[in-house]
Amino acid sequence: MPTLKTFWTDETGATALEYALIAALIFLVASTAILAWGDSMKDHYETLGDKIGGALTD
């Protein structure tokens, strides 16, 4: 049983796990922001294209 107790109280990998969780959180936030910005830019370009197309046909 001492090996199980030693394993349970061992915290040597905790720092690496914490850094991995922080990196995953940063990745999720960044990818969500990029996707939201991309959708917003798509809408702007579609509006701009419609206005240019309307001005060219007049």
Side-chain angles (χ1 to χ4, degrees), residues 21-44:
L21 290 173
I22 291 170
L25 180 64
I26 290 171
F27 171 77
L28 288 174
V29 169
S31 62
T32 302
I34 290 169
L35 287 173
W37 182 72
D39 289 340
S40 173
M41 291 306 293
K42 179 183 162 222
D43 293 341
H44 287 297

